[in-house]
Every structure is written in C-alpha cells, then in structure tokens.
Amino acid sequence: MSWRSSFRCSKFRHVFGKPSTRDHSYDGVPITRSVHDNHYCSVNPCFIAVVTECAGGGSFLVLPIHHTGRVDPQHPRVCGHSGRVLDVKWNPFDDHCIASCSEDCTVKIWDIPVCGVQQNLTKARKTLIGHSRRVGLIEWHPTAENLLLSSAYDYKVLLWDVSQAGSVLRHPVRVVLMPVYHRYPSDMLLLSVSFNSDGSRLAVTSKDRRVRVLDPRTGKILQVSSSKSHRANKVLYIGSLKMLLSTGSSPWNHRQIVLWDPDDLSEPLYEEDLDGSAGVLFPFYDPDTNMLYLAGKGDGNIRYYELSTEKPYINFLTEYRSLLPQKGIGEPGRTTVDDRSTEGGLFYLLFLIMLHLHRTESARYRFTLSFQSGVFQEDLYPMTAGNQAAMTAQEWLSGINRGPVLMSMKPGTRVANPYPETPAEKGLVRQLSSLRFEMGPADGAVTRTDLNFMEEVDGLNQPFSSHCQDIHVLFQLLQAFYRQQDEIRGLREQLNQKDARITQLELEIKNTRNNMRATF
C-alpha cells in the first residue's frame, strides 16, 4: 500500500452520509437482475430513471424526484425496447430527454413529459440503428449539444447527432472505433468511457484492461497504459486537476485506485490497494470541491477522498457504511444540491433486499458537510457547469473546443453565457427544459430560480418570471396530484385486505358447514 500522510487538515474532514427517511425514499422498485457492470439508474434535477426487470423486452421507470414513497407495481414504464435495457443517461442540457441502449442492438431517445410518465411510453423520438450486437454503453458529450456516443459488443464506437431529421437514424456522424478487416481485438470492446471537460479527449478502458486516451473526432489512440501492474475496469477524467483516475485490480486481485497523467500513461502517478473484494468500483468526482466518491457494486460502503495536485494526490476522508449491498448508483450533479443545508453531494443508491418475493428498493442518500447552514459559502459552492450547451454538434465536429458554460450556485444570481446562443436554446420548450428547480421533500418549494432576467418567448418580449410562477403553480398541482395518488393507493390496499379477509371468512363458514354435515 502506498505511503500516505497520517494527518492533513481538510475543510471536508466532517463530511458524512445521511440516509433519507422511508417517506423520502423509493420503495418497491423492481430493479433489473442483469449482471452488466453499469449504474442501472440515472438522475437529474427533475427525475430519476431506474432500469427494471421486465419479461419479453426491456423497460425502465421514470419517477419525479419529489414523488417518493412506495412505487405502484403497475406504475407506467418506458418500454419500447425489445431486449433488456443495459444503460440509461439523461441529456445534460435537457431535463426531459433521456437516452437508453439495449440488447436489441438499438439506442433510443425519449421525451419525458413535464408531469412524468402517466402511461406506458412505447414510441421513442429517435431510434439509432447502427450496431449489430447489444449496445452496452452510452455517453452524452459534456459541452456540445445533441452529441451521443454509443459502444456495443460489435466492437464499434459511434458518435450520433440526435438533432438530425427523421425518427430513425442509421448513419452516425463519426465512427470513433471500428473492427479492421473483420478482426475483433480485445482493445476495441469498451468497458468504460469518460470525456474530458471540453470533450476534446476520450478516456476508455477495454477488455484487455488497459487505459487509453483517444481523439474522439478521429479515433486516433494517443496514449496506452501498461497492464502489468493494474488491470483497469472504470476510468474517469479529473479535468480540474488534469489527471485520469481508474479503478480495477492488481495482479494479486486487490481492488485498486490509480491516478495517471493523461499525456503519459507509461507509469501511474499514484496507486493504492483498497481491499480484496470482487465488486466493480464506480468512481464519481465533483470537480468543484475536488472530492472523489468510490462505490463498489455489491458493497455496503462508500469511500470519499479529497484530491489535490500535490503528493500523495489522494487524501482519504472517511466512509459511509450500510448493511445493504448496492446494486447501482446515480449522481444528479451539483445543481441539485441544497446550498442552505450544505450538502456536498446527493446520491441515489439501489439496494437489493432478499425477502420472500425478492422485493427491491431504491433509497436516497445525502452526503452532507457539517458547516453553518443558512449562509452561502463560496468555497464550497464555486462556479459550476450549468445546463446550457457551449456549442452545437456541428461546431464541435468542425474542430472547435469549448469548455462548459459555468453558472453560479448562489441564489438570485445569473451568469451570462460567454458563447453565442445555439438555435435550440430559442423557444419556450427549450427554456422550460433548461430551467432548474430545487424541490423540497415536504412542500416542494422552489429554492433556486432566476426571476430577474428577460427572455423572448414565442416572439414576444415579456418577463420570464411570469412563466416561472406558472411552472411553480404547475409543480404544486403535481404534488397535490401525487399525494392524492398515494391516498388512493393506500385505500386500494385496505380494500384488497378487506376482500382477502371476506374470502377467508367465507372459506371458514363453508368448512364449518361441511363439518356439521359430516357430523350429522
């Protein structure tokens, strides 16, 4: 194990995990039993999507963030795939757009209504047909709008522009990787992908357990790591520190975390053995606080670290422990964090609970920093990547690189977009999907809205604040609707219990009569 200083002062030394109460968790979610090494869920400020078990096809649930509690087993699903769903990812620039990939060799783009999925959704907005085998990974571009990367077991890695016309797209805008002369080398079957902050580089791990850095426009391999001391499984760009982080195993089958210089993968900057467990380690990084979270599949704990540019680079903070094993994990981003309660991160964990009916649950966990609440702390909440695209897909394909458009976490502030507006940003639909709301679990109050700027809506100059107020009223009505649905569900359960009791009493009366007849 690598040397680490015994003491280091850190402002994050008091971070701790806090599970939500049962009323504010998701209960009864039938999580998929697939063994594919993916997250099985994806979260944004409005919805949580969970891949579910489904017979005769593939489906996933989309639940509003504030609609917690027990989930109806007959809750409508997104079920347009003919094979098992393997991955889902929300569009970072549209809270109502989600992509899914499946064993049916397709990738689908779905539009989720503002009020959520009220009936089974079977028709996708776009269907991407370009792979000949199951598609295992999808990833949105971090700064360019409507660019989606897909990787499949046919050894192809494709880039799609989902803004193109037509409901079925058969030709990608770029072929990043492709088999040569029908040969299928192990370095072309990807296990994990990660873009850097401006999307100009792509880090991947492959079946040969090496880390590679590619140019996503041309597919040219720029750097390759050695597999002698580290067999990589997942990789993550640490853009703010100009590093790469990979998780995997050592030659002695100990789980490892390794830091690399993305410009030189010949030798790692830092490596550390963690334990002898077999579950895959999923890394999550917060570039604003330089905090790293490690969650292992099948583990009951989450480790968190602070990263720095000085040796030993990684400083262990503490870990959260649970008695329940994790099935998957999703992280909605910094814009969902409540700055009033000094939350450092918000995670949604999927737990598999072995009961009589193999009931599954999805619980919500908050990672909290114990600082004075009620005061905005700029060191904990610096400028962060917002929900506006920095450029169009065509601009990126032409060779332009731009960093993410930053936004302030401080309530009541708005930072102007340093880049020209893209055509897709115009119109009411785009504005509504880009607007971020922070809904409280109890009253659903909006905590971060910007009511001090003017926007052009449908060609008319009018205050955008009126539209924000209308949406606020809409969300209040939705919460009242969900509360009524919960009450109806509870009354239905009581009625079913009474029906079962009546049936039981009828059987007892019938048995009593038969016994009396047999006696006489």
Side-chain angles (χ1 to χ4, degrees):
M1 184 176 294
S2 301
W3 175 88
R4 182 166 55 205
S5 176
S6 59
F7 175 78
R8 180 181 183 272
C9 182
S10 171
K11 60 184 176 183
F12 301 110
R13 60 186 179 274
H14 298 304
V15 65
F16 61 93
K18 179 183 178 182
S20 296
T21 61
R22 194 175 186 87
D23 293 339
H24 297 145
S25 301
Y26 305 93
D27 187 12
V29 179
I31 305 169
T32 178
R33 298 193 182 108
S34 172
V35 296
H36 198 71
D37 288 333
N38 272 342
H39 298 153
Y40 298 122
C41 71
S42 183
V43 192
N44 70 8
C46 295
F47 301 101
I48 173 174
V50 183
V51 180
T52 60
E53 190 65 22
C54 180
S59 67
F60 58 95
L61 276 174
V62 175
L63 301 173
I65 284 292
H66 58 277
H67 187 199
T68 55
R70 181 156 186 84
V71 178
D72 189 350
Q74 304 302 322
H75 192 283
R77 306 185 188 186
V78 182
C79 50
H81 284 286
S82 60
R84 181 174 289 175
V85 176
L86 298 181
D87 198 9
V88 290
K89 291 288 174 60
W90 289 102
N91 189 332
F93 310 119
D94 189 346
D95 290 341
H96 300 276
C97 175
I98 189 172
S100 62
C101 62
S102 169
E103 291 181 349
D104 62 7
C105 311
T106 65
V107 180
K108 292 181 182 289
I109 310 298
W110 307 88
D111 287 328
I112 305 301
V114 176
C115 58
V117 180
Q118 300 297 320
Q119 57 184 358
N120 285 343
L121 189 59
T122 59
K123 186 176 181 181
R125 171 162 59 95
K126 300 282 184 182
T127 300
L128 315 182
I129 302 176
H131 293 286
S132 58
R133 297 185 66 183
R134 57 179 175 169
V135 186
L137 290 174
I138 50 177
E139 189 71 33
W140 291 96
H141 195 277
T143 58
E145 196 170 31
N146 295 317
L147 266 185
L148 180 68
L149 180 140
S150 64
S151 172
Y153 282 75
D154 59 359
Y155 301 88
K156 293 180 182 179
V157 181
L158 309 178
L159 263 177
W160 304 86
D161 181 3
V162 299
S163 64
Q164 292 181 335
S167 59
V168 178
L169 302 182
R170 300 181 181 274
H171 302 287
V173 293
R174 283 286 189 277
V175 177
V176 181
L177 290 177
M178 191 172 182
V180 180
Y181 303 114
H182 302 286
R183 292 182 297 175
Y184 303 98
S186 59
D187 59 339
M188 300 184 70
L189 181 58
L190 304 189
L191 303 178
S192 175
V193 298
S194 177
F195 283 100
N196 65 347
S197 58
D198 62 2
S200 61
R201 292 291 181 266
L202 180 69
V204 302
T205 55
S206 309
K207 191 178 179 180
D208 62 357
R209 300 304 180 94
R210 296 189 179 189
V211 179
R212 289 175 172 82
V213 176
L214 312 177
D215 183 345
R217 293 187 179 92
T218 63
K220 181 180 178 180
I221 299 177
L222 306 178
Q223 292 288 329
V224 183
S225 70
S226 173
S227 62
K228 295 181 180 179
S229 60
H230 176 68
R231 298 196 294 267
N233 195 302
K234 301 295 179 182
V235 67
L236 188 65
Y237 249 107
I238 312 297
S240 59
L241 303 181
K242 298 182 180 180
M243 295 181 183
L244 274 178
L245 182 137
S246 65
T247 62
S249 60
S250 68
W252 300 273
N253 288 328
H254 290 165
R255 292 197 296 187
Q256 281 184 327
I257 50 175
V258 177
L259 280 176
W260 307 86
D261 181 357
D263 296 327
D264 183 10
L265 298 182
S266 59
E267 292 291 336
L269 298 175
Y270 174 88
E271 60 181 9
E272 178 181 343
D273 293 353
L274 297 180
D275 53 41
S277 300
V280 177
L281 280 174
F282 294 102
F284 293 86
Y285 176 66
D286 182 2
D288 303 326
T289 59
N290 294 331
M291 284 188 63
L292 171 70
Y293 301 86
L294 291 181
K297 187 175 181 180
D299 292 356
N301 63 328
I302 296 180
R303 301 175 176 92
Y304 16 109
Y305 304 79
E306 184 181 8
L307 303 186
S308 64
T309 56
E310 301 176 355
K311 291 184 178 181
Y313 303 114
I314 295 182
N315 301 282
F316 177 75
L317 296 175
T318 183
E319 65 178 334
Y320 170 79
R321 292 183 176 272
S322 172
L323 298 178
L324 304 177
Q326 296 151 191
K327 179 74 173 179
I329 185 170
E331 188 261 335
R334 293 279 289 179
T335 54
T336 312
V337 175
D338 185 359
D339 48 61
R340 298 174 303 172
S341 61
T342 63
E343 292 175 1
L346 181 64
F347 288 87
Y348 291 77
L349 285 78
L350 307 183
F351 295 101
L352 182 61
I353 301 175
M354 305 303 293
L355 296 180
H356 297 292
L357 300 178
H358 297 282
R359 182 170 58 90
T360 56
E361 294 183 351
S362 170
R364 183 170 66 179
Y365 280 74
R366 299 173 182 267
F367 288 89
T368 305
L369 298 171
S370 58
F371 285 89
Q372 180 183 2
S373 60
V375 178
F376 182 78
Q377 302 184 23
E378 295 185 0
D379 57 337
L380 297 181
Y381 304 99
M383 299 285 289
T384 188
N387 56 352
Q388 294 184 10
M391 54 186 164
T392 63
Q394 295 303 321
E395 288 176 335
W396 183 84
L397 292 171
S398 65
I400 299 175
N401 292 323
R402 288 176 180 170
V405 179
L406 301 181
M407 62 173 287
S408 175
M409 298 281 289
K410 187 175 183 179
T413 60
R414 175 177 172 84
V415 180
N417 188 344
Y419 308 117
E421 283 190 352
T422 61
E425 290 178 339
K426 299 177 181 179
L428 181 60
V429 175
R430 174 63 186 167
Q431 293 168 359
L432 295 182
S433 63
S434 299
L435 189 63
R436 300 282 184 169
F437 286 93
E438 183 66 28
M439 306 295 294
D443 56 4
V446 178
T447 60
R448 277 197 302 273
T449 56
D450 188 359
L451 308 180
N452 300 321
F453 61 95
M454 306 285 288
E455 290 286 338
E456 184 174 343
V457 182
D458 294 336
L460 299 176
N461 289 326
Q462 49 183 298
F464 193 63
S465 60
S466 61
H467 297 279
C468 294
Q469 294 172 358
D470 293 341
I471 298 174
H472 178 43
V473 173
L474 174 62
F475 272 96
Q476 288 180 336
L477 293 175
L478 283 175
Q479 281 206 316
F481 168 76
Y482 288 129
R483 284 195 295 268
Q484 292 177 355
Q485 291 295 316
D486 291 337
E487 293 176 0
I488 294 173
R489 191 178 301 113
L491 293 174
R492 187 181 293 115
E493 291 179 356
Q494 294 179 9
L495 183 61
N496 292 335
Q497 293 175 0
K498 291 181 178 179
D499 289 341
R501 180 58 179 167
I502 291 173
T503 303
Q504 183 181 1
L505 291 174
E506 290 176 348
L507 290 176
E508 291 178 356
I509 293 173
K510 186 177 180 179
N511 292 334
T512 303
R513 289 177 178 174
N514 292 336
N515 292 335
M516 292 176 64
R517 290 174 182 174
T519 302
F520 292 104

